[in-house]
Amino acid sequence: MPRKTPSMPIGANSLLATMVALQMLVALPAMAASPAPLRAVDRNPRANWIEAFDWGGGARFVFDLKQSQEAGAPSLNFLAGGAPEFSFGCADQDPTKSYWRFRVGATPPGSGITSRDEIAHEKGMKYYFGAPGMLVPLDEVDKEIRRTPLTPRNGSLETAALTQDDVQAILNASAIRAETPRIFFESATSALKATIDGNSKLPCATR
């Protein structure tokens, strides 16, 4: 006669399922604890865009977390010393390959981080920068000028090749917003146009 496998009491099954669910929540505390998007907003009219030397050149803006992180927003601790950033400029140094693009990402972690920090950073970046969204230039009265798709790519969010109208909308904007279901970043753009205009050797081309 075949031996019967002892069954687990119904209460034990429920307890096991609860324990597994709790373990999953603990594994991603920042993501599971709050559905609110990660927010960094710097509308200071003196917000500083600086010249960028990666890709084929352009301009970049790094959020000052002391000024831009809003109360009640999810923690940015997973960045481990890094900060959200916008980058606008060329996709390549080679003029035959280059085109205008906008990137939403984060600066690298600080030095000397632990393996636990590295794991948290990797999970956080995949979560917060892993959902598509929109890039939204705003005018002086915060009216949307246009909306351009942002797509997850290489641990960040990027536009496809920008048209001349896209480029002008960004350069003429009073502020720029990047939004997905998981992030809400916004910066003033007072120094953006001057920074781009000051670099006459940019190889970007519009498509």
Side-chain angles (χ1 to χ4, degrees):
M1 180 178 295
R3 180 181 299 176
K4 292 185 178 180
T5 302
S7 60
M8 186 177 291
I10 294 177
N13 280 329
S14 300
L15 179 59
L16 178 61
T18 301
M19 291 176 64
V20 170
L22 287 174
Q23 288 175 346
M24 292 176 66
L25 288 175
V26 171
L28 296 174
M31 287 63 113
S34 173
L38 192 70
R39 294 177 66 91
V41 177
D42 188 343
R43 295 297 294 270
N44 187 330
R46 296 188 298 272
N48 188 29
W49 286 72
I50 60 175
E51 189 172 350
F53 300 98
D54 50 355
W55 307 342
R60 62 195 292 263
F61 177 84
V62 179
F63 286 85
D64 180 348
L65 297 186
K66 293 181 180 179
Q67 303 294 329
S68 63
Q69 177 66 349
E70 296 186 342
S75 172
L76 286 164
N77 288 344
F78 76 90
L79 291 174
E85 70 171 348
F86 287 164
S87 299
F88 174 55
C90 305
D92 199 284
Q93 293 182 353
D94 184 346
T96 64
K97 299 177 181 179
S98 195
Y99 54 86
W100 285 97
R101 70 173 179 176
F102 197 104
R103 176 181 175 273
V104 181
T107 60
S111 60
I113 64 172
T114 65
S115 58
R116 184 175 181 178
D117 291 334
E118 290 179 356
I119 293 171
H121 180 268
E122 182 178 352
K123 288 182 177 179
M125 292 296 293
K126 285 182 178 178
Y127 178 81
Y128 286 113
F129 295 93
M134 289 287 173
L135 181 72
V136 188
L138 305 168
D139 65 14
E140 293 81 359
V141 294
D142 287 348
K143 181 180 178 180
E144 295 183 3
I145 300 174
R146 67 198 303 117
R147 296 174 71 84
T148 304
L150 287 166
T151 303
R153 182 180 179 187
N154 298 328
S156 64
L157 294 161
E158 293 184 9
T159 63
L162 297 173
T163 66
Q164 186 62 43
D165 287 344
D166 294 329
V167 172
Q168 287 306 312
I170 292 171
L171 291 175
N172 294 336
S174 178
I176 292 177
R177 176 185 300 155
E179 56 184 26
T180 79
R182 301 172 185 175
I183 67 169
F184 184 100
F185 297 157
E186 191 171 289
S187 75
T189 58
S190 56
L192 174 57
K193 192 173 190 304
T195 303
I196 292 294
D197 288 347
N199 190 341
S200 59
K201 297 182 179 179
L202 289 176
C204 314
T206 51
R207 299 294 175 89

